[in-house]
Amino acid sequence: MPDAPERLDPPADAAPRATYRFQFNREFPFPAGRDLAGYLGELGVSHVYASPILTARAGSIHGYDVVSYDAVNPELGGEDGFRAMAAALRRNGIGIILDIVPNHMAVGGADNALWLDLLRNGRASAFARWFDVDFDCPDPELAGKVHAPFLGEPYRDVLAAGGLALVARGDAPGHAIAHGEHLFPIRPEDEAEIEVAGIDAYRDVGMLDALIAQQNFVLDWWRSAGDRINWRRFFDITQLAAMRMEEPAAFEAAHAVALRLYAEGLIDGLRVDHVDGLADPAGYCRTLRRELDTRAAARPDAGRHRAWLLVEKILATDEALPSAWLADGTTGYDFMDQVSALQHQPAGMGRLAETWSRISGRSRDFEAEETRARQEILAHSFDGQRERLIDALLEAGRDAAVTRAALRRAVTSLLAHLRVYRSYATGADDGVAAGEPFARALAAARREPLADRPALALVAAVMTGQGGEAGLPACVTAIRRFNQLSAPLAAKAVEDTAFYRHGRLLSRNDVGFDAGVAGLCPEAFHGLMRARAAGAPRSMLATATHDHKRGEDVRARLAVISELPETWEEATREWFALNAGVRPAGLDAGDEYMFYQMLVGAWPLGLASDDGAGLLSLSERLAGWQRKALREAKLRSGWAAPNEAHEADAERFVTRALSPGVADAFLNGVAGFVARIAGAGALNGLVQLALRCTAPGVPDAYQGTEFWDFSLVDPDNRRPVDYAARRIALAQRLPVASLAQDWRDGRIKQRLLHKLLALRAAEPRVFADGDYEPLPILGARRDHGLAFVRRRQGKAIVVLAALRCAEPMADGERLAPDAEWWGDSFVTLPADLAGAQAVIGPDEPISGRVDLRAALSVLPVAVWVADAGAD
C-alpha cells in the first residue's frame, strides 16, 4: 500500500447509471481491468461492479472464499494494482462498486489465521465470538470444542493409517496436527509437554491420540458434518464458516478495507453478498449505512452522492425489500425473473409441463418438487442445525408438553412449506413480525393429515413472539436459528436441487426465479415496473450474473419453446428415437430431455451440424454442465457420493450424440430446430437488453454479455472474454441496420447497449427518478408488444418492444417479424409527446399514432426521446 494514499476525484456523477461486472481472478487481475477502462468508458458504463477483492484462498476463481480481512488479494495485484485500476477508470469517468463478503470466510487448510487461532485457543480465542460456534451444544464430545470435520476417512482409520502427524508450525509459534493441506494447531498449554517429550515421540499412535483428545477441536470425518457440526457454515460447505457480523469487532475487521477505500473516494458503493445468512440483515444494513454515511464527508466529493448499497437477496414473488434496511435495492435477480417470465407463453408452459411429467415420471408442478427437495436436504445436509434449533425451542417452551420428536416433525413441515428465504423477526421489540409467508407455511403444515398441532403451536408462538415464551433468551436464539437455517435450506433445496430435477422448461429455472410462475402478461409486468419505480428506483437490474445457471441468451432462446410446445414435443420425440443406438442403458429419460434443452439453448450461432471441432468444444462444455446437473439433482449421483460409472455413461452419450458420422440425423435435426427459433431467441435477447436499460433501476452488464451470451452454469459462465473483438466492434460504430443484417456475430447487441447507455447518460434524471407509464397497444397483435413511457422534468423516453413472436419468425433469418404480420397494431402516444425523436428505430419523428409495422420493422425494440409537459 502506498505511504501516502492517493485520493481520487470521483467521476462527474458518482451516482451509478449503469454497471459492468468484472469477475477478478489471477487470470484476470486488476491490470486487465485497468487496460479496459477506455473500452468501458466508450461503451457508456458509469461503474465497474467488482467481484470481491480481499485476500482469498490461493487460486480462487471468484473471491468469495476470503481468508484474510487485512489486505487486498495479492493474486489480483494487491492494493497498488487496485489503486492503479481505479485511477484509470476515474480518468474515463468510471467509478467502482465493490462486492463484499460479510457472511463467511474460507476455513480448513492452513491459510486463515483467525480460524487457526480459534482451533488453537477454543472458547478463549480472541475470535471465538466472530465465528458462530455453539460451544454449549449437547453433544458431550463437542462441549466446549470446535467440530473439525475435515478428515477424508473416519478418525480412527486416519489415525491408524498414519494420516495424522504432529508438526512444527514454522510460520507461527507452536505445533499443529497436519492432515493433507489442513493444520489443526495445538493448544498453548500442551506445548511444554511436547517440548519435554520431543516431536518424534508422537509418532506413537497412542501418544498422538491422547494429545489430540486434549485439544480445543474434535477431528472427524467430513461426512459427519451435516449431522454433528456445532458451527454454522455457508450453506452446507464445510470449507466456508459463517461469521457473526453482530459482533462489533468482527464487523469492524470485515469492513475496514472497504470503508477506507470508500472514504478515499476509490469506490462509490458496496454490494453485500448473501445478506440473508446474517443474524439480523436489517440491523446489519443499517449499521453499514451509518458507517458509510459517517465517512462520506471525508470523501473528495464531500458526500455529494450517498453510497450505493445493494444486497444479494432472493425475493419471493410477493416480497419486497424492507425500506427500513436503508439499502438501495437488490442485485437484480428479481428483475431477471420478471423479464424472463414476460417472454414465456403461459399456455404453452402448461403443455410443456405435461410433456415433462410424461417423459420423466416426475411431477408436472414445481411446488411438489420443491417440497420434496426441502425435506430431503434438511435431513441430509442440515440435520445438525435442525437439532440446535430444536434445543432452543425446547428451552423456550420448557413448560410445554411437547417432545423433541414432535418438534422435529413440526420444524421439518414448516421449513418444507416456507416459500421465502427467511423471516426477519429477531425476537426484539422492534415491530418486525415473522410475516405472512411464515403464516402461510404454518397454515400448510397444519393442513397435513399427520400434523403435530401442539408442536406447531409452540414453534408459532416462539416465532411470532406470542405467549409466555416471548422475549426469553432461548426464544431469541430459536428465532435466529430458524432464520439462519431456512435461508441456506432454501438455496440448497430450490436452486441447487429442485431446479435440476424439474425440467418443464429450463429457462424458468435460474437463481432468484419463481419456477412456479409460468409466465407474465404485459399488464402484470407493467404493474411490477410501476412498483419498482415507486419503491426501488435505485435497485440493480440484471439478466446475467456470475451465478446464473444459463446465459441470458440461452434463456431467451429457450423461452421461444413455450410458444411452440407442439413443435418441440415432435422434435424431441424424434431425437429420442434417433439416439436409441447411442443411449446407454441407464440414462434417465428426464436427464436426456434436459440435455436436449441445454443443447438447443447453447448451440452457437453459425455452428454447422458437421463441424467436428465446434461440436467437440460444445460437447465438452455440455458434459461439464451435465456432470454438475446430475450431482446437484442428487437422484443418480451427488457431490457427497459421485456415481462415476453413471456420470461416465452420461458423458459418453453427450459425446457420441454430438459426433458427426455417429449421430448425423440427430445433429441435422437439432441444427434445423435451432435455425427455426434462433431469430425469435435473438429477438427476446435484444428486448431483454432494452428493458434492462430502460426499466426503473440501474442496469448491469455481466462481463462479455454485450455480445450473445450462450454460457452455461459456472464455471462455464466465467470463461475468458474476447475483449479484442468487442473493442474493434465498438470502434467501428456501424449503422444499426447493417448490424441487424449480420446479427449472428453479436455486434448488434453491443451497439444497442451502447446507444441505450448513451441515452441514460444524456437523460440521467429520467432514468433515475422518472415515472413509469404503461401505454396500451391496440390491434390484432396487441398481445405481442409492450410499450411504456418514462417521464421526469419535462423529458420523456418512449419504449416499444416486441413479445413472443415465434410464429412469424419461422425462417430464423430476421430480428423482427415482417411488417405485414403486425397488421393494424398500434400504440397512441400522449398528446404532449408530439415530435419524439428516434434513438433506436425509424428516423422519422413520431406523434400520435405509432404503427408497430413501421416502428419494429428492423429491430424488435424502438426507443424515442421527447420534450414533454412538466411533471
Side-chain angles (χ1 to χ4, degrees):
M1 189 177 87
D3 293 334
E6 178 185 4
R7 286 164 55 88
L8 296 179
D9 291 332
D13 187 352
R17 187 179 67 246
T19 63
Y20 190 97
R21 171 74 175 200
F22 273 152
Q23 201 67 29
F24 291 109
N25 55 66
R26 63 184 177 189
E27 303 301 323
F28 187 84
F30 298 141
R34 176 199 63 203
D35 293 345
L36 288 168
Y39 167 72
L40 295 183
E42 287 294 315
L43 187 61
V45 303
S46 68
H47 286 76
V48 160
Y49 169 27
S51 61
I53 64 170
L54 292 183
T55 303
R57 185 142 280 167
S60 174
I61 63 171
H62 48 71
Y64 291 95
D65 44 359
V66 173
V67 295
S68 173
Y69 291 140
D70 298 334
V72 176
N73 195 344
E75 283 193 353
L76 306 182
E79 188 160 328
D80 287 342
F82 182 81
R83 288 176 176 275
M85 178 184 71
L89 291 168
R90 289 292 197 224
R91 288 192 294 271
N92 286 274
I94 301 171
I96 298 175
I97 305 300
L98 186 61
D99 197 343
I100 60 172
V101 192
N103 179 71
H104 55 271
M105 292 187 83
V107 297
D111 49 2
N112 186 330
L114 281 64
W115 173 253
L116 295 176
D117 190 89
L118 175 70
L119 294 180
R120 184 170 189 254
N121 294 294
R123 200 193 292 262
S125 169
F127 311 111
R129 291 185 57 80
W130 295 25
F131 293 92
D132 200 354
V133 184
D134 183 7
F135 285 107
D136 299 315
C137 73
D139 187 331
E141 187 181 0
L142 296 179
K145 299 190 176 189
V146 179
H147 191 219
F150 295 97
L151 304 185
E153 300 291 341
Y155 170 73
R156 290 293 165 193
D157 294 348
V158 175
L159 182 68
L164 300 170
L166 182 66
V167 298
R169 292 187 62 184
D171 62 340
H175 297 79
I177 302 298
H179 173 68
E181 73 273 22
H182 301 290
L183 279 185
F184 307 95
I186 296 298
R187 60 182 188 161
E189 51 265 48
D190 291 325
E191 291 295 340
E193 173 190 319
I194 295 171
E195 188 70 26
V196 171
I199 198 169
D200 289 343
Y202 293 91
R203 293 179 180 175
D204 177 84
V205 171
M207 285 190 66
L208 183 61
D209 183 31
L211 177 66
I212 292 173
Q214 299 170 183
Q215 300 313 306
N216 288 311
F217 53 80
V218 175
L219 297 181
D220 204 351
W221 192 17
W222 66 269
R223 288 183 180 276
S224 70
D227 295 330
R228 295 192 68 197
I229 201 162
N230 68 336
W231 45 274
R232 194 166 51 83
R233 301 172 288 175
F234 172 67
F235 297 167
D236 59 350
I237 304 172
T238 305
Q239 289 73 27
L240 296 175
M243 307 300 290
R244 299 180 65 245
M245 289 298 104
E246 63 270 31
E247 186 66 24
F251 181 97
E252 181 180 354
H255 298 84
V257 170
L259 290 173
R260 174 168 55 80
L261 295 177
Y262 174 70
E264 293 178 23
L266 274 81
I267 65 173
D268 299 319
L270 298 173
R271 177 264 198 194
V272 179
D273 183 62
H274 189 50
V275 73
D276 274 343
L278 303 174
D280 179 12
Y284 166 84
C285 287
R286 287 193 292 267
T287 299
L288 183 55
R289 174 61 79 189
R290 182 174 62 249
E291 295 295 329
L292 289 166
D293 287 349
T294 298
R295 289 161 176 80
R299 286 169 54 83
D301 62 353
R304 184 164 59 94
H305 294 283
R306 202 179 195 193
W308 199 35
L309 180 57
L310 299 177
V311 294
E312 185 200 25
K313 160 69 184 152
I314 305 296
L315 292 171
T317 300
D318 57 352
E319 186 181 16
L321 192 70
S323 60
W325 289 19
L326 304 182
D328 290 298
T330 72
T331 50
Y333 299 143
D334 42 337
F335 177 79
M336 190 163 81
D337 178 33
Q338 291 160 1
V339 75
S340 169
L342 176 68
Q343 295 184 325
H344 285 73
Q345 174 57 259
M349 293 291 282
R351 173 72 178 263
L352 292 170
E354 295 293 347
T355 301
W356 162 251
S357 183
R358 185 180 67 254
I359 289 173
S360 67
R362 303 189 69 82
S363 172
R364 69 184 304 279
D365 298 317
F366 184 75
E367 174 78 12
E369 203 71 84
E370 177 177 348
T371 300
R372 185 180 304 115
R374 283 174 170 270
Q375 293 166 337
E376 292 175 11
I377 298 303
L378 181 59
H380 290 278
S381 297
F382 296 104
D383 190 60
Q385 275 188 254
R386 178 173 56 180
E387 292 305 307
R388 302 293 77 76
L389 167 59
I390 294 169
D391 291 338
L393 288 168
L394 285 169
E395 176 65 20
R398 55 183 177 270
D399 295 330
V402 176
T403 67
R404 185 180 195 91
L407 277 174
R408 185 181 297 110
R409 290 190 293 269
V411 164
T412 299
S413 181
L414 277 166
L415 291 170
H417 289 294
L418 194 64
R419 290 299 178 262
V420 293
Y421 259 50
R422 55 172 290 168
S423 87
Y424 296 101
T426 63
D429 186 17
D430 55 8
V432 178
E436 183 60 28
F438 178 84
R440 289 196 295 266
L442 179 63
R446 283 172 169 161
R447 286 195 297 269
E448 290 185 355
L450 300 179
D452 283 285
R453 292 180 176 273
L456 287 169
L458 173 59
V459 179
V462 170
M463 290 297 296
T464 59
Q466 299 172 357
E469 296 84 6
L472 291 174
C475 177
V476 174
T477 299
I479 292 172
R480 173 174 56 81
R481 289 180 179 175
F482 185 95
N483 291 332
Q484 290 185 309
L485 172 56
S486 69
L489 175 63
K492 295 305 295 181
V494 180
E495 295 161 27
D496 292 346
T497 304
F499 277 2
Y500 289 93
R501 295 179 175 183
H502 185 69
R504 173 189 57 179
L505 190 58
L506 294 179
S507 45
R508 289 298 300 143
N509 298 4
D510 220 308
V511 178
F513 282 27
D514 185 344
V517 175
L520 280 179
C521 65
E523 291 74 20
F525 183 81
H526 284 315
L528 291 167
M529 294 307 103
R530 296 186 78 169
R532 186 178 291 276
R538 284 165 57 84
S539 193
M540 181 176 279
L541 306 175
T543 50
T545 77
H546 64 284
D547 276 335
H548 68 231
K549 301 186 183 302
R550 275 154 283 281
E552 63 185 30
D553 295 306
V554 174
R555 294 195 310 272
R557 184 187 289 173
L558 287 178
V560 179
I561 293 174
S562 70
E563 302 179 62
L564 306 167
E566 295 86 359
T567 305
W568 170 253
E569 186 175 346
E570 180 181 348
T572 53
R573 185 184 303 114
E574 180 181 359
W575 298 345
F576 271 101
L578 289 172
N579 283 326
V582 299
R583 180 184 304 114
L587 187 66
D588 181 76
D591 292 339
E592 184 174 344
Y593 185 72
M594 287 192 278
F595 161 69
Y596 292 148
Q597 293 184 49
M598 291 301 291
L599 175 60
V600 165
W603 187 278
L605 292 165
L607 177 64
S609 60
D610 60 353
D611 180 351
L615 288 166
L616 176 60
S617 174
L618 180 59
S619 71
E620 290 172 346
R621 293 174 56 214
L622 284 167
W625 161 80
Q626 187 177 60
R627 185 181 308 109
K628 183 167 186 173
L630 288 170
R631 293 183 180 185
E632 295 284 32
K634 306 168 190 68
L635 296 173
R636 285 162 285 280
S637 190
W639 296 107
N643 185 337
E644 295 179 357
H646 182 79
E647 292 177 1
D649 282 345
E651 183 170 348
R652 277 192 294 272
F653 171 73
V654 171
T655 301
R656 296 187 68 193
L658 296 185
S659 297
V662 176
D664 288 342
F666 168 67
L667 291 171
N668 289 335
V670 172
F673 188 88
V674 171
R676 165 70 177 82
I677 68 170
L683 176 151
N684 282 345
L686 294 183
V687 168
Q688 177 177 243
L689 167 64
L691 294 178
R692 188 180 80 220
C693 291
T694 57
V698 180
D700 175 61
Y702 181 68
Q703 59 183 28
T705 59
E706 59 268 41
F707 279 14
W708 301 122
D709 172 26
F710 295 112
S711 62
L712 310 176
V713 71
D714 65 274
D716 189 77
N717 60 9
R718 301 171 189 175
R719 291 175 297 155
V721 176
D722 183 357
Y723 280 111
R726 286 159 175 78
R727 278 173 153 162
I728 292 170
L730 184 62
Q732 290 173 330
R733 297 290 199 276
L734 294 177
V736 167
S738 173
L739 295 173
Q741 293 285 332
D742 299 319
W743 58 268
R744 286 176 175 80
D745 61 19
R747 293 178 298 167
I748 183 63
K749 188 180 179 189
Q750 182 196 54
R751 185 74 170 120
L752 185 62
L753 175 63
H754 176 246
K755 290 175 76 69
L756 290 170
L757 294 187
L759 177 62
R760 291 185 68 91
E763 305 292 349
R765 301 316 308 166
V766 178
F767 289 105
D769 303 309
D771 295 334
Y772 181 100
E773 302 175 11
L775 294 177
I777 294 176
L778 303 175
R781 305 299 183 190
R782 60 184 176 275
D783 294 331
H784 294 275
L786 182 87
F788 58 88
V789 179
R790 303 293 311 282
R791 289 179 182 266
R792 179 68 171 169
Q793 295 178 342
K795 281 288 185 179
I797 308 296
V798 181
V799 180
L800 175 63
L803 295 178
R804 305 170 188 164
C805 295
E807 176 198 336
M809 298 182 67
D811 61 7
E813 294 300 318
R814 292 167 47 82
L815 284 174
D818 290 336
E820 291 74 16
W821 183 79
W822 289 109
D824 63 349
S825 301
F826 68 97
V827 60
T828 301
L829 298 187
D832 63 341
L833 300 186
Q837 300 294 315
V839 177
I840 298 167
D843 291 336
E844 298 82 5
I846 59 170
S847 299
R849 172 174 168 145
V850 178
D851 291 315
L852 272 61
R853 62 185 299 152
L856 303 179
S857 60
V858 176
L859 290 178
V861 295
V863 179
W864 299 269
V865 60
D867 292 323
D871 292 356

